[in-house]
Amino acid sequence: MDLSPDQIVYWRVGFASLNATILFTWALMLLLTMGAWLITRRLSSELKPSRWQGLLELVVLGIVEQIKAVGLGQAERFLGFLGTLFLFIAAASLGTLVPGFQPPTGSLSTTVALALCVFVAVPFFGIQEQGLGAYIRSYAQPTFLMLPFNVISEVSRTLALAVRLFGNMMSGAMIVGVLVSITPFLFPIVMTMLGLLTGIVQAYIFAILAAVYIAAATRSQQSGSDDPLEPQPVS
Amino acid sequence: MMIDWFTVGAQALNFIVLVWLMRRFLYGPILRAVEARDERVASVLADATAKQLEARQARDQFEQRDEQLERDRERLLREAKEAAATEGQRLLVAAREAAQIARRRHEESLREAAESLQDTLEERAQAEVFAIARQTLSDLAGASLEERMTEEFKRRLRELDGPARAELEAALTSASGPALVRTAFDLPEAQKAAIEDALKESFSSDAAVEFETTPDVICGIELTCCGLKVAWSIAEYLRALTEGVRELVAEHPHPESEVDAEASVDPTTVGLPDPKEAAAPHGA
């Protein structure tokens, strides 16, 4: 049993290799893009949209609302990054319903890549919002002594993001695999349904944590820490 | 745990590409569609608000118009009532005038009828008196009516006295022409001679006498000379009878009662004037 789809290699040339992680990621990208294109090519501004358009609007506007709820004012600005995070992870989790599908999020390489994206995106949006100097100074808040702790926090939470997602996704797939070998009929179905739930929850958690980190980076200079509703970084 | 750093890089690149693809094919179109729908909804709501405002204004205008119509209706009704009352009053006045005119015409017709009845009564009374007198004279004396009238006329001539007799005598004496004796019928020669004798005897006059027959005298004998007149005629009695009837009509102003009263007059019960008064000479 493979613990990671990285180990399923279809083609290798030197350092580069085409493994199941990349292949199923492409498949998901193709599926999401084609689905979005098919539905959005005939969008209407009528008061009663089509069923699929209504579904996509529900998802997109739901994500926008969640981003706003976290505290990011201009939600549309962060929608591309955060919404894609949620959709990709959720689609990878839902893909487990298809026999033979290897969720890319079950690969630590994928989760690390996503966590690194968040790791880069947080200072990117922070610097874009506050400026380079203000963002760097935010690491020395409230005192300069907190600088190493803040840096460690930044790195560790990125690592935690990656490992949390990988662990949940990999464990779900592993449990299903183990149960299939022991009790082939009932428990794998139940665990698959549970895996769907945990996959969606993990997608939500990953996207929300990323939004919270970005919000903390963009708002730390603005309102300080006296706002009780300000989202606090979760590590 | 194994981390394939090539895969990490590839996945990061894949994710960035996916972000671009999602922005290109999902978020952008969806957000634009939602924005367009929001604008459309806002437009529809604004339009609905405008229409609601228009409807409210139209309703207000309708209510105002309705109130105006109600006021106009009440005013017209009031004016119609006043006009009807005025017209009714005018018609009432006109009806009263018409009734008064009709009553006057009725009274006129009644008066004419009374006059006609009176004329008829006069004629009847004249005829009746003539017949009664004729019958009475015939029954009592056995002489003709003309003889009795001649005798009566002669008696009147003889019984004249006082200023009347003197005036007549002076007139007969001084008259240049003959004295005129008018009768309603042709007198026999004996009667004419008797009258001439009576004149000569009573007034010692040789005045000539001319006899004339005229129906105006009705029934009687009339002597005219120099504007003086001595007569005996049933016409005098008839005039007295007419005066009596007229006084009777005047005493009963109601037309119907007058007619009834006149219709019930018995000529025999009407008081006749004194024959002396009727035979008295009348100054010209």
Side-chain angles (χ1 to χ4, degrees):
Chain A
M1 177 179 289
D2 297 323
L3 286 177
S4 171
D6 290 356
Q7 297 171 348
I8 306 173
V9 178
Y10 300 109
W11 184 65
R12 181 186 295 272
V13 177
F15 179 68
S17 63
L18 179 62
N19 52 34
T21 303
I22 299 175
L23 191 66
F24 282 103
T25 298
W26 286 351
L28 279 180
M29 289 170 63
L30 183 64
L31 180 67
L32 289 173
T33 304
M34 287 301 294
W37 178 73
L38 286 175
I39 294 173
T40 59
R41 64 176 178 167
R42 291 179 183 172
L43 286 181
S44 70
S45 60
E46 296 296 327
L47 295 180
K48 186 179 180 182
S50 66
R51 186 176 301 173
W52 289 107
Q53 182 181 344
L55 177 64
L56 281 192
E57 288 182 5
L58 186 68
V59 171
V60 172
L61 295 180
I63 294 171
V64 170
E65 287 300 318
Q66 288 299 319
I67 293 173
K68 287 180 179 176
V70 168
L72 292 170
Q74 298 174 328
E76 289 79 8
R77 211 176 120 206
F78 309 100
L79 177 63
F81 181 74
L82 297 174
T84 306
L85 267 181
F86 174 78
L87 288 180
F88 178 70
I89 298 170
S93 301
L94 293 175
T96 55
L97 286 174
V98 179
F101 180 81
Q102 293 291 332
T105 48
S107 161
L108 188 58
S109 301
T110 303
T111 57
V112 166
L114 295 178
L116 284 176
C117 287
V118 174
F119 184 76
V120 173
V122 169
F124 173 78
F125 287 117
I127 292 171
Q128 193 179 40
E129 187 72 23
Q130 306 181 35
L132 181 60
Y135 179 73
I136 292 176
R137 278 196 299 275
S138 69
Y139 279 91
Q141 299 295 331
T143 65
F144 185 74
L145 293 176
M146 295 299 291
L147 177 62
F149 299 104
N150 281 332
V151 173
I152 292 172
S153 168
E154 197 74 17
V155 175
S156 64
R157 74 187 185 189
T158 303
L159 185 62
L161 270 180
V163 174
R164 181 190 298 114
L165 180 60
F166 165 73
N168 279 288
M169 300 307 293
M170 185 272 291
S171 64
M174 289 294 293
I175 289 172
V176 172
V178 171
L179 289 178
V180 165
S181 62
I182 299 175
T183 55
F185 299 109
L186 184 59
F187 282 106
I189 297 175
V190 176
M191 292 310 295
T192 301
M193 292 173 62
L194 190 61
L196 287 177
L197 179 63
T198 56
I200 297 298
V201 170
Q202 287 305 314
Y204 179 74
I205 289 174
F206 198 98
I208 283 294
L209 285 177
V212 168
Y213 298 154
I214 292 172
T218 57
R219 297 186 61 198
S220 60
Q221 192 79 354
Q222 298 174 3
S223 57
S225 59
D226 54 348
D227 186 358
L229 296 178
E230 181 186 0
Q232 297 298 318
V234 177
S235 59
Chain B
M1 285 298 160
M2 45 283 180
I3 299 177
D4 183 0
W5 290 106
F6 172 77
T7 305
V8 171
Q11 288 296 79
L13 184 63
N14 284 337
F15 179 74
I16 293 171
V17 171
L18 183 61
V19 168
W20 181 83
L21 288 174
M22 287 294 101
R23 290 173 64 97
R24 170 71 177 77
F25 292 107
L26 182 61
Y27 305 132
I30 289 292
L31 290 178
R32 281 194 295 273
V34 170
E35 187 177 1
R37 181 179 298 113
D38 288 345
E39 291 178 354
R40 186 182 177 88
V41 168
S43 172
V44 170
L45 283 177
D47 190 38
T49 304
K51 286 183 177 177
Q52 191 177 18
L53 187 61
E54 288 179 2
R56 192 174 292 124
Q57 290 176 348
R59 188 193 62 189
D60 293 342
Q61 288 180 354
F62 176 77
E63 287 178 352
Q64 290 177 355
R65 198 172 301 166
D66 189 44
E67 291 176 357
Q68 182 65 33
L69 285 175
E70 184 66 22
R71 284 197 295 270
D72 290 346
R73 190 183 69 82
E74 291 179 355
R75 181 177 56 78
L76 290 174
L77 190 61
R78 189 171 61 251
E79 290 177 355
K81 284 182 178 176
E82 291 174 357
T86 306
E87 182 66 15
Q89 191 66 27
R90 189 187 66 78
L91 290 175
L92 190 60
V93 171
R96 283 177 179 165
E97 292 177 352
Q100 286 180 353
I101 292 172
R103 191 177 66 183
R104 279 197 293 270
R105 287 178 179 170
H106 183 62
E107 288 174 355
E108 184 70 20
S109 66
L110 286 177
R111 191 177 58 78
E112 291 175 353
E115 290 178 353
S116 175
L117 179 63
Q118 186 175 345
D119 293 342
T120 305
L121 195 61
E122 284 180 359
E123 294 174 359
R124 283 285 304 277
Q126 184 177 330
E128 289 294 329
V129 167
F130 187 77
I132 291 169
R134 179 184 296 273
Q135 186 64 39
T136 303
L137 293 174
S138 175
D139 289 346
L140 292 179
S144 66
L145 179 60
E146 291 79 5
E147 291 175 341
R148 291 300 308 160
M149 284 194 300
T150 302
E151 292 299 323
E152 182 64 20
F153 183 70
K154 288 161 62 181
R155 186 182 65 83
R156 293 284 175 93
L157 288 178
R158 283 192 298 270
E159 290 179 355
L160 270 179
D161 56 359
R165 180 182 181 88
E167 289 177 5
L168 185 57
E169 186 172 5
L172 288 173
T173 304
S174 61
S176 57
L180 181 62
V181 176
R182 301 167 67 195
T183 57
F185 43 83
D186 292 334
L187 287 174
E189 290 301 323
Q191 303 293 337
K192 291 179 179 177
I195 290 174
E196 290 177 352
D197 293 340
L199 282 174
K200 292 175 179 178
E201 178 184 349
S202 299
F203 301 101
S204 304
S205 173
D206 296 331
V209 178
E210 182 180 342
F211 291 91
E212 180 183 342
T213 302
T214 174
D216 294 339
V217 186
I218 302 176
C219 180
I221 301 173
E222 180 183 286
L223 170 63
T224 306
C225 181
C226 296
L228 294 178
K229 182 175 74 177
V230 176
W232 181 90
S233 171
I234 291 179
E236 298 299 330
Y237 294 99
L238 289 177
R239 269 194 296 274
L241 178 62
T242 302
E243 291 299 325
V245 171
R246 189 168 292 136
E247 290 174 1
L248 188 63
V249 170
E251 290 174 359
H252 299 277
H254 196 277
E256 293 182 0
S257 60
E258 290 176 9
V259 173
D260 293 339
E262 291 173 359
S264 61
V265 168
D266 185 356
T268 58
T269 61
V270 176
L272 293 176
D274 188 358
K276 293 180 180 177
E277 295 178 0
H282 298 271

